[in-house]
Amino acid sequence: MGGECRVGVVVLGLVGSVTGLSTPTMRLRVERNANFGKLQGGYLFPEIGRRRRAFAEAQPELAERVISLGIGDTTQPIPPNILEGLVSGASKLGTSDGYSGYGAEQGNAELRSRIAERVYGGRVGAEEVFVSDGAKCDISRLQLMFGSAVTSAVQDPSYPVYVDTSVMMGQTGEVGPAGQFEKLVYMPCKPENEFFPELSETPRADVIYFCSPNNPTGAVATKAQLESLVERARADGSIVVFDAAYAPFIRTPGVPKSIFEIEGARECAIEVNSFSKYAGFTGVRLGWTVVPDTLEYADGSKVRDDFNRVMTTAFNGASNVVQSGGMACLTDEGMEEIDALIDYYLGNAQILRGLADDLGLRHCGGIDSPYVFLDLDGRSSWDTFSAILEEAQVVTIPGAGFGPGGEGFLRLSAFASRASCEEARARISKLTHLFA
Amino acid sequence: MGGECRVGVVVLGLVGSVTGLSTPTMRLRVERNANFGKLQGGYLFPEIGRRRRAFAEAQPELAERVISLGIGDTTQPIPPNILEGLVSGASKLGTSDGYSGYGAEQGNAELRSRIAERVYGGRVGAEEVFVSDGAKCDISRLQLMFGSAVTSAVQDPSYPVYVDTSVMMGQTGEVGPAGQFEKLVYMPCKPENEFFPELSETPRADVIYFCSPNNPTGAVATKAQLESLVERARADGSIVVFDAAYAPFIRTPGVPKSIFEIEGARECAIEVNSFSKYAGFTGVRLGWTVVPDTLEYADGSKVRDDFNRVMTTAFNGASNVVQSGGMACLTDEGMEEIDALIDYYLGNAQILRGLADDLGLRHCGGIDSPYVFLDLDGRSSWDTFSAILEEAQVVTIPGAGFGPGGEGFLRLSAFASRASCEEARARISKLTHLFA
């Protein structure tokens, strides 16, 4: 009989008057998430952008001169073979045979397999690789999985996303007068410890965020250092979330590109990674996270299973177009193109190290790393940032933006054109009065 | 003098022995997030995929006959003008002038502006539109913003992501014997209320998830119904999260395509939306969320500001390639192509409504909607799902997968080829013994 419920065109009797309801001053009875009130300032990189725009508006005649060595944003075009992967990934969607809708939330099986083989040399399995729209997003999804009850440890200074997402999840308690959260463990990284944490002085945390090559310090952990990190995590039963987004910059033999080069890491580590810096995919968006099948919570359940639940419930797969580009990255030709891109940025890093020498400033990084971290010898990082923007029209990043431990330092990024790096070196090296 | 901290090549004295640490039976001292233990079963759509694969393995000779009217996955190629947007968005990344790295986390300004103008007719501002990688992901990010202290209400049955992300965030308490969470408000949608909730019988919740055209019921809320929803939200000081992902299927004059067509919604509603069904972007990944500047928490702070913090901290912008495709969707030519795609799927929906007539089953949807919700008249939805897969090799979705209120119903999706819909109707209409 096929009786229908055509509710789409039936007006029911539930409608009340809406007159007088359009006052714009209405407030909800929903309480703001208290964790958001604890976040310190705006997220760093948009804040840098705001200051740059404010400068350009205040001094429009100088706006065109501005060079950015700020946010670690790739500038070189995508090389031909990798580009062809992206273009063909898009083009085929116009054909019946080539069209695809939803893919697996965990990523294309062939791409997962290539990552396992070509990035990790088979140290991890394809089913342990979760393809995503980037490492930043994955860190947030890891936090969603960990929940509010875990304690976290971060390098200080560090990429702000570790701290901010910990705050959002409610893991950190209140912020103290020094700008540090009471329940977050800070691991100072400074010249005195060669920017590697004093693990013996670090309280236990459930989750340890560790980035190498490091953002912002440029420090690269040796194999022995990573062994000590894994040993400590195993002794404490902690999870290391290892951020390897800058791994392809490592050229020194023997320096690990992945935490899974360290014995014992498969039972205590997760690795987040990204094509952003490998292949200039910062805007294209493609990353991955490795969660070993051997990683088990205290109750014996697999961490991988919960992360799989996050990826299938709170994510819907990376773009098929973009994954096609990722496939091209992991061919022989694509990997050669990646090497050439990294060579280019490493050449820039060498120029920025030269700038440090010009100024007579101690620094870290720029070897096996795209970042040079200038030691301002006690000077304020925001003041120095502002002075360099005003006087040389170069955008840098104040170390204080990466946490209290970054005060007194300035990060320079090699993600720029060669000409920009050379010009920035020429301009800033004249500002000797700032560092006298 | 440029002293360096070349920690990358220095071995420090922190290394302990790693012998004996490689035992694979090590367990962490990290407690599993208790909220994940409360999740009910696997996420629905992967579960359907698993059952489909199990059938194909058990009866390989029938595997090729399988037709999917299951997951709402687009099947038609991307039309030429929209495709050109994607392809050119990829191609230009190979040039110095066309290359772009990180974009604004909130999306390309021109795309935000086009969405505000062309989708919303200027009812919302460009700065209220947040471009993303899809509605599913945005729902998760909204939950991250709301936190664990809010109460939520969902239609029953409903798209599983609302419930599952509420559980993950810890909003729901324990699950009861009927499979319902103690702190979640369920709003039954059934033939007796023409699939629109009895708002007068619904307890207050902080956040009300509401989807129209509805997934899975296919019901489309009238203007009067949405007015009653907004009136109730305003009276309760609640936030409506309105899921408009199927809006372009609405062809009946006067039926709202957006909650912002309703007076007073700007102070109590958020809208999530997506290009997935508009333009066949299910695999391409592009969506958006509108958070009005006029939406204020109880403390007077702007919801928009917190969502902006989520987007900048836990997300890094939708792919530039994909946003270029989104721009092409919102040209005159692109919008005509979208209309033609929707016409095609609406034609399929009419065939599926015909199937309901063939079987003499009551149904909802298929008008202004891609889904037809068959009323099985008390029969088990999983049993009927299995019988149709076994006997007709057609994948459907059991209503029970969308919550307790979906038991006794079966969802048919019009996202398939015309030929598949006709063949599925022919096959299933012979299974009269299942519905005798």
Side-chain angles (χ1 to χ4, degrees), chain A residues 73 90 112 130 234 264 302-303 307 319 360 367:
Chain A
D73 192 7
R112 299 172 80 187
F130 294 84
R234 291 184 65 102
K302 287 184 187 297
V303 177
F307 194 64
S319 171
I367 296 172

Side-chain angles (χ1 to χ4, degrees), chain B residues 71-349:
Chain B
I71 179 170
D73 191 7
T74 49
T75 56
Q76 297 313 105
I78 294 186
N81 286 289
I82 297 173
L83 187 76
E84 172 56 23
L86 286 173
V87 171
S88 66
S91 298
K92 72 179 184 182
L93 296 177
T95 66
S96 294
D97 285 351
Y99 181 78
S100 58
Y102 291 120
E105 292 96 338
Q106 303 90 343
N108 176 299
E110 174 61 23
L111 179 56
R112 298 172 81 187
S113 178
R114 279 195 203 177
I115 290 170
E117 287 306 317
R118 303 209 74 151
V119 179
Y120 294 99
R123 281 193 184 88
V124 308
E127 74 290 348
E128 298 175 327
V129 176
F130 294 84
V131 176
S132 77
D133 61 332
K136 186 187 187 190
C137 314
D138 276 351
I139 290 163
S140 163
R141 284 185 282 260
L142 286 169
Q143 293 280 21
L144 180 61
M145 175 181 75
F146 292 137
S148 59
V150 298
T151 53
S152 290
V154 296
Q155 290 167 284
D156 182 24
S158 72
Y159 180 47
V161 170
Y162 314 133
V163 174
D164 286 355
T165 55
S166 296
V167 175
M168 284 182 177
M169 284 306 297
Q171 298 166 4
T172 59
E174 301 298 329
V175 70
Q180 296 198 327
F181 288 92
E182 60 186 8
K183 289 166 69 180
L184 200 60
V185 173
Y186 293 85
M187 305 185 292
C189 295
K190 49 195 175 181
E192 293 73 28
N193 58 23
E194 294 187 304
F195 295 94
F196 186 83
E198 305 284 358
L199 297 176
S200 61
E201 300 171 9
T202 301
R204 181 189 177 280
D206 288 318
V207 182
I208 303 166
Y209 293 90
F210 193 92
C211 177
S212 177
N214 191 265
N215 175 12
T217 69
V220 184
T222 63
K223 185 165 191 191
Q225 288 174 330
L226 293 183
E227 285 171 346
S228 71
L229 178 66
V230 166
E231 184 182 31
R232 174 62 191 269
R234 291 183 66 102
D236 282 357
S238 305
I239 296 173
V240 175
V241 173
F242 189 78
D243 186 340
Y246 302 96
F249 286 85
I250 295 174
R251 294 289 168 85
T252 302
V255 177
K257 295 185 173 188
S258 165
I259 194 68
F260 298 116
E261 294 182 35
I262 307 302
E263 193 179 347
R266 284 184 51 86
E267 290 84 47
C268 69
I270 288 169
E271 182 162 303
V272 294
N273 214 319
S274 164
F275 285 99
S276 286
K277 273 70 181 194
Y278 283 61
F281 272 25
T282 44
V284 174
R285 312 304 311 141
L286 192 65
W288 71 87
T289 288
V290 178
V291 185
D293 194 52
T294 37
L295 196 64
E296 294 179 357
Y297 284 120
D299 67 357
S301 66
K302 286 185 187 296
V303 178
R304 187 192 166 284
D305 290 347
D306 280 358
F307 194 64
N308 189 61
R309 197 64 153 86
V310 171
M311 293 301 275
T312 54
T313 306
F315 183 63
N316 227 337
S319 171
N320 46 14
V321 176
V322 172
Q323 290 190 73
S324 176
M327 293 280 282
C329 288
L330 299 179
T331 59
D332 289 345
E333 298 77 13
M335 292 177 80
E336 281 171 24
E337 290 176 340
I338 289 172
D339 277 346
L341 275 175
I342 302 289
D343 282 344
Y344 182 87
Y345 293 123
L346 282 172
N348 289 349

Side-chain angles (χ1 to χ4, degrees), chain A residues 197-220:
Chain A
E198 306 283 0
L199 296 178
S200 60
E201 300 171 10
T202 302
R204 180 189 178 279
D206 289 317
V207 183
I208 304 166
Y209 294 89
F210 194 91
C211 177
S212 177
N214 190 265
N215 176 11
T217 69
V220 185

Side-chain angles (χ1 to χ4, degrees), chain A residues 78-86 324-325 328-329 331-334 336-337:
Chain A
I78 295 187
N81 286 290
I82 297 173
L83 187 75
E84 172 56 23
L86 285 172
S324 176
C329 287
T331 59
D332 290 346
E333 297 78 13
E336 281 171 24
E337 290 176 340

Side-chain angles (χ1 to χ4, degrees), chain A residues 104-171:
Chain A
E105 291 96 338
Q106 303 90 344
N108 176 298
E110 174 61 22
L111 179 55
R112 299 172 80 187
S113 179
R114 280 196 202 176
I115 290 170
E117 289 305 317
R118 302 208 74 150
V119 179
Y120 293 99
R123 281 191 185 89
V124 307
E127 74 291 348
E128 298 175 327
V129 176
F130 294 84
V131 176
S132 76
D133 61 331
K136 186 185 187 190
C137 314
D138 277 351
I139 290 162
S140 163
R141 284 184 283 260
L142 286 169
Q143 294 279 22
L144 180 61
M145 176 180 75
F146 292 137
S148 58
V150 298
T151 53
S152 291
V154 296
Q155 291 167 283
D156 182 25
S158 71
Y159 180 46
V161 171
Y162 315 134
V163 174
D164 286 356
T165 56
S166 295
V167 175
M168 284 182 178
M169 284 306 297
Q171 298 166 5

